[in-house]
Amino acid sequence: MDKKCIVIFMNEDAAQTYNGKPLMLQDALFCPVLNWCMRAWMKKGVMRFFVVCDGAYSEEVLACVPQGAAALVGSEEDYRRDIGEFAAGRWVEEIREAMMPVGSMMLSFHTVPELIRLQQAVKEDIAVFHQNTGVNVLDIDSTYIDPRVTIGAGTTILPGTILRGHTVIGAGCEIGPNAMIVDCEIGDGCVVNASQAYESVLGRQVQVGPYAHIRPHCQVGDGCKVGAYVEIKNAVFGRGTKLSHLTYVGDADVGSGVNFGCGTITSNYDGFRKHRTVIGDNAFIGCNTNLVPPVTVHDGAYIAAGTTVTRDVEADALAIGRVRQESRPGWAKARRALAAQGKEKKNN
């Protein structure tokens, strides 16, 4: 049962701030120190926190409060007035130094260099924790894992990987080398190779990279491929859809089993507004296709390479929109002869 209320004083004197921000709001492995501390205290049964700080930091402080905890933010005057009711008979412990949980201890620090040294220790602790739960962290020195990250057993984390925020990675994945993943949910059996992903959801058995960029608000279905030099943004992809290379798809709803050829783009921005592209199941999008939304490509449609699509394409139809090829016999030979004559005149 919760018998304690922690009161944290964020002093604003020079010894407790860095670049104008309290030390407890500095990041350690991408996570504010205050969040580290609150989660550590919650593991010991503390569920109530009162943070005394300048009102300018209130929103940032509240963003640090873990789910399930109760917290108030206010001035010292607010604290003296409200703590009796908020603590409700609990023992009140006041914290007046910046602190960082390291192992089972809470260590105080007074400068950012001291925090960086503590960060190195907890960095190794996090990696070892995941190793003990069945995660293969290949190189602890070159891997950075936010304490809020969850990783399934059997996953391999290759060197150069950075995992941030509330990222959840499933079992049996391979992440890295040189991957950055922020606030994503990644299903079992995925591969993310030398790529970046932000605020998105990947299903099971998804292949990403190398050098792919998954921007926020994407949902990538099971078995999809987001290949080399592909960028996606605010888009939904059904099961088994493949974007193998050199493609941009933004603001789109894409069905299952769709194949995107190299060089395809959605021209989603007209200079004033964003528009969505809709592509049905099992459509084939040829190389160097420009999709100019708002436009719908229905199920099973086939877009010929080099086409600019400006109107809806009906199901199972072929859309082709390119200049008809012409052949002019002897043109190249004549052009070379003309060039040779010009060169000869210049030399004379």
Side-chain angles (χ1 to χ4, degrees), residues 16 109 123 126 154 173 218 225-226 252 265 311 322 343:
Q16 291 289 311
F109 65 96
K123 171 180 176 290
I126 290 171
C173 297
C218 288
K225 181 177 182 180
V226 182
I265 68 162
R311 299 194 303 269
R322 60 189 183 217
K343 187 176 181 181

Side-chain angles (χ1 to χ4, degrees), residues 75-142:
S75 65
E76 186 156 1
E77 181 181 345
D78 297 329
Y79 161 57
R80 300 299 176 194
R81 183 187 66 237
D82 299 334
I83 190 60
E85 181 179 355
F86 183 69
R90 293 169 175 81
W91 172 39
V92 175
E93 180 179 353
E94 296 184 351
I95 305 296
R96 293 181 176 272
E97 287 187 298
M99 308 190 81
M100 179 73 181
V102 180
S104 60
M105 300 181 293
M106 298 291 288
L107 301 182
S108 63
F109 65 96
H110 303 92
T111 66
V112 169
E114 288 180 14
L115 174 59
I116 291 171
R117 287 193 288 273
L118 293 175
Q119 176 182 267
Q120 184 62 29
V122 295
K123 171 180 176 290
E124 294 175 4
D125 287 346
I126 290 171
V128 170
F129 166 80
H130 288 293
Q131 288 176 330
N132 289 335
T133 60
V135 179
N136 183 14
V137 182
L138 226 59
D139 184 355
I140 291 176
D141 289 341
S142 66

Side-chain angles (χ1 to χ4, degrees), residues 4 6 11 13 19 23 66 68 97 129 138 152 163-164 173 180 196 202 209 213 300 307 312:
K4 185 187 289 188
I6 299 286
N11 299 320
D13 57 77
N19 286 344
L23 289 177
E97 287 187 298
F129 166 80
L138 226 59
L163 306 176
R164 299 179 56 174
C173 297
M180 164 86 85
Q196 298 191 4
L202 278 61
H213 186 188
T307 295
D312 291 357

Side-chain angles (χ1 to χ4, degrees), residues 58-271:
S58 296
E59 187 174 335
E60 197 168 350
V61 166
L62 289 172
C64 294
V65 179
Q67 187 174 4
L72 286 182
V73 181
S75 65
E76 186 156 1
E77 181 181 345
D78 297 329
Y79 161 57
R80 300 299 176 194
R81 183 187 66 237
D82 299 334
I83 190 60
E85 181 179 355
F86 183 69
R90 293 169 175 81
W91 172 39
V92 175
E93 180 179 353
E94 296 184 351
I95 305 296
R96 293 181 176 272
E97 287 187 298
M99 308 190 81
M100 179 73 181
V102 180
S104 60
M105 300 181 293
M106 298 291 288
L107 301 182
S108 63
F109 65 96
H110 303 92
T111 66
V112 169
E114 288 180 14
L115 174 59
I116 291 171
R117 287 193 288 273
L118 293 175
Q119 176 182 267
Q120 184 62 29
V122 295
K123 171 180 176 290
E124 294 175 4
D125 287 346
I126 290 171
V128 170
F129 166 80
H130 288 293
Q131 288 176 330
N132 289 335
T133 60
V135 179
N136 183 14
V137 182
L138 226 59
D139 184 355
I140 291 176
D141 289 341
S142 66
T143 302
Y144 296 82
I145 304 174
D146 189 305
R148 297 166 291 186
V149 170
T150 301
I151 309 174
T155 287
T156 296
I157 307 298
L158 297 173
T161 294
I162 299 172
L163 306 176
R164 299 179 56 174
H166 296 279
T167 290
V168 177
I169 297 174
C173 297
E174 182 175 285
I175 310 297
N178 304 321
M180 164 86 85
I181 300 175
V182 182
D183 288 322
C184 287
E185 181 180 332
I186 296 178
D188 296 345
C190 290
V191 174
V192 181
N193 174 18
S195 298
Q196 298 191 4
Y198 300 86
E199 299 173 33
S200 294
V201 177
L202 278 61
R204 297 165 57 92
Q205 304 291 330
V206 175
Q207 296 182 51
V208 178
Y211 314 119
H213 186 188
I214 298 177
R215 291 167 58 191
H217 311 305
C218 288
Q219 296 181 40
V220 183
D222 295 350
C224 285
K225 181 177 182 180
V226 182
Y229 301 102
V230 170
E231 180 176 347
I232 59 176
K233 185 268 293 185
N234 192 26
V236 178
F237 300 89
R239 183 185 183 94
T241 286
K242 291 179 170 54
L243 307 88
S244 292
H245 37 217
L246 295 164
T247 294
Y248 168 73
V249 177
D251 300 299
D253 299 295
V254 181
S256 300
V258 176
N259 187 85
F260 285 84
C262 174
T264 294
I265 68 162
T266 56
S267 303
N268 52 312
Y269 184 52
D270 65 6

